[in-house]
Amino acid sequence: MGKMVVLAVAVLAAVSVIAAAATGCSNNKSSTSSSSSTASSSSATPSSTSVSATAAPGDYSALLIQATDIDFPGETFTAMPATPNPNGQAGVSGGFTNAAGNRIIGDTILIFPDASAAATALEGAQGALGSTVTGTPQPASVGTGGTLVSGTSPDGSKAVTVLLFTEGKAFATLEFDSAPSDPVPPEFATGVAQKQDSAIKNGLPA
């Protein structure tokens, strides 16, 4: 169960970093300074309605939604430990799982020097979606450039829904994994992403 969350988050974070690296070389100084901060291994994830900007510089764990923000009928989700600065990129990744372990949500937020760099990362990730999920991308009413793809993993072993968006200088990726015959409804994925967008708006310093 844990391996599935780590894999989903790591793949999405890597796609984002690669996309940003292609056009973000001039921003290396900013990225280095952002990722050099002290990481806390005991970060709590407060509700999207109570997020503040009191975290130490470079500690973005407070931007993540918490498990109680995930409202799926008949299911209770538990948050997994957050990972600061995934793959060396400023930001945070986290995950959530239901009691049975057959629904897993990966949540990655990457922070860039400005909104333009975040948009470039989004465009790169959109082009690489086929490596994670089959399906046709469609607009999603979340943040800027919201994009949702619902289908299966390339090997058909699980249902996958991916939702990407930017909010200012933040680029967020949410991946919803479940049994092949039991995908999450698109409106559920969009609702979770909208809560994540609100948390970023409320908690990310300008």
Side-chain angles (χ1 to χ4, degrees):
M1 178 175 64
K3 289 181 179 179
M4 291 179 67
V5 172
V6 171
L7 178 61
V9 171
V11 169
L12 291 169
V15 167
S16 305
V17 172
I18 291 169
T23 57
C25 294
S26 63
N27 295 322
N28 284 345
K29 183 170 68 174
S30 298
S31 296
T32 301
S33 63
S34 297
S35 61
S36 63
S37 58
T38 301
S40 170
S41 61
S42 60
S43 303
T45 53
S47 168
S48 59
T49 59
S50 61
V51 171
S52 68
T54 58
D59 178 5
Y60 298 101
S61 59
L63 297 180
L64 290 170
I65 56 172
Q66 76 178 131
T68 52
D69 289 320
I70 301 171
D71 184 13
F72 193 90
E75 300 280 6
T76 299
F77 283 80
T78 301
M80 305 189 80
T83 300
N85 303 324
N87 295 326
Q89 169 68 46
V92 63
S93 65
F96 307 89
T97 182
N98 65 350
N102 56 8
R103 290 193 187 280
I104 297 173
I105 302 172
D107 187 357
T108 300
I109 304 167
L110 302 180
I111 309 301
F112 292 89
D114 52 41
S116 177
T120 297
L122 171 63
E123 290 172 6
Q126 287 171 332
L129 279 168
S131 65
T132 302
V133 57
T134 63
T136 302
Q138 58 184 345
S141 32
V142 184
T144 300
T147 303
L148 182 146
V149 182
S150 184
T152 65
S153 57
D155 64 3
S157 64
K158 59 185 177 180
V160 178
T161 295
V162 175
L163 202 155
L164 314 171
F165 68 91
T166 66
E167 183 58 57
K169 61 183 180 180
F171 166 47
T173 301
L174 290 99
E175 177 178 332
F176 303 79
D177 295 347
S178 54
S181 60
D182 191 23
V184 300
E187 58 270 22
F188 166 72
T190 301
V192 173
Q194 287 171 340
K195 290 180 180 179
Q196 182 57 84
D197 185 32
S198 294
I200 295 171
K201 287 179 182 177
N202 293 336
L204 184 63

